[in-house]
């Protein structure tokens, strides 16, 4: 396993997940009103490391197969953990959480299978996935923070963006499945159609 700064940042993102989750299990008397802000800030720091580790890996030519595997795993763990907390707090609808988490599992399995059959380029990341990720990475800290901030309706912004993220999530899942469909059909029938 290679260890460099980009991979260390990815590991840091994974290590921050218990922090984001853990603050919601502290007694209210201990958090004195800073719980939501701390969780939102931790999520923002983790999201920034997501961008930074990829940028550094490309800039310093430190990309690796392990880093390419670990980075999306860290992202999915972080988003799924935050969604489960938000679901428990009643700040996100269960259908939205199901769509986002279900898509992550489905596309991860699809990418693994496509890689096994040598067709991973069919399900390479595209612009739709990037917009979906951006909407999620802004919506989730807004929903974690929940309170108005400097007159901005953070709760409303987060709610709208998580709905947008769920729509983009479903759309991107359909797009990836459509791209993989010829390979899936060929494997199911035993030959090209």
């Amino acid at each position: 396993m290679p260890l460099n700064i980009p991979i260390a940042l990815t590991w840091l993102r994974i290590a921050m997940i218990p922090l984001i989750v853990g603050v919601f299990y502290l007694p209210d008397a201990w958090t004195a009103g800073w719980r939501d802000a701390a969780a939102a800030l931790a999520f923002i720091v983790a999201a920034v490391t997501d961008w930074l580790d990829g940028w550094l890996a490309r800039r310093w030519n430190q990309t690796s197969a392990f880093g390419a595997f670990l980075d999306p795993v860290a992202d999915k763990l972080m988003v799924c953990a935050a969604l489960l907390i938000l679901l428990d707090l009643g700040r996100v609808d269960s259908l939205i959480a199901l769509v986002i988490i279900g898509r992550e599992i489905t596309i991860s399995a699809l990418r693994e299978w496509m890689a096994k059959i040598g067709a991973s380029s069919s399900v390479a990341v595209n612009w739709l996935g990037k917009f979906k990720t951006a909407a999620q990475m802004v919506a989730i800290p807004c929903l974690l923070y929940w309170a108005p901030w400097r007159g901005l309706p953070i709760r409303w912004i987060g709610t709208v963006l998580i709905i947008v993220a769920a729509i983009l999530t479903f759309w991107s899942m359909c797009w990836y499945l459509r791209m993989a469909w010829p390979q899936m059909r060929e494997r199911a029938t035993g030959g090209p159609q």
Side-chain angles (χ1 to χ4, degrees):
M1 173 184 77
L3 187 60
N4 52 39
I5 291 175
I7 288 178
L9 288 171
T10 303
W11 280 115
L12 174 66
R13 190 158 69 255
I14 292 170
M16 290 183 77
I17 294 168
L19 174 66
I20 295 167
V21 173
V23 298
F24 289 100
Y25 288 95
L26 294 173
D28 290 337
W30 291 11
T31 61
W34 56 263
R35 180 191 72 179
D36 292 355
L41 182 61
F43 190 91
I44 290 167
V45 168
V48 169
T49 67
D50 179 29
W51 170 81
L52 186 60
D53 66 13
W55 183 79
L56 289 175
R58 288 185 297 277
R59 176 148 179 133
W60 294 344
N61 197 26
Q62 293 182 342
T63 58
S64 67
F66 182 72
F69 156 77
L70 190 62
D71 185 64
V73 169
D75 297 344
K76 287 166 183 37
L77 287 172
M78 185 176 72
V79 167
C80 291
L83 283 172
L84 291 174
I85 289 296
L86 292 169
L87 187 60
D88 186 53
L89 295 170
R91 296 180 185 179
V92 71
D93 187 74
S94 57
L95 179 61
I96 289 174
L98 180 64
V99 165
I100 293 172
I101 293 171
R103 181 262 189 205
E104 297 303 346
I105 293 168
T106 302
I107 298 306
S108 293
L110 179 66
R111 283 192 173 128
E112 182 179 338
W113 181 70
M114 294 296 279
K116 280 184 182 179
I117 65 169
S120 57
S121 63
S122 298
V123 287
V125 176
N126 74 346
W127 63 271
L128 195 52
K130 290 181 186 294
F131 282 132
K132 180 263 314 173
T133 299
Q136 282 178 179
M137 294 304 181
V138 175
I140 291 172
C142 288
L143 293 170
L144 288 169
Y145 188 71
W146 199 242
W149 182 73
R150 298 185 183 227
L152 290 174
I154 297 299
R155 176 188 311 188
W156 181 83
I157 292 169
T159 300
V160 169
L161 285 176
I162 204 71
I163 292 168
V164 168
I167 292 166
L168 291 174
T169 295
F170 185 76
W171 184 9
S172 71
M173 182 180 71
C174 291
W175 187 87
Y176 285 122
L177 289 170
R178 191 175 129 244
M179 292 294 103
W181 182 251
Q183 292 292 333
M184 293 165 69
R185 196 165 89 194
E186 181 178 324
R187 295 301 187 275
T189 60
Q193 296 293 316

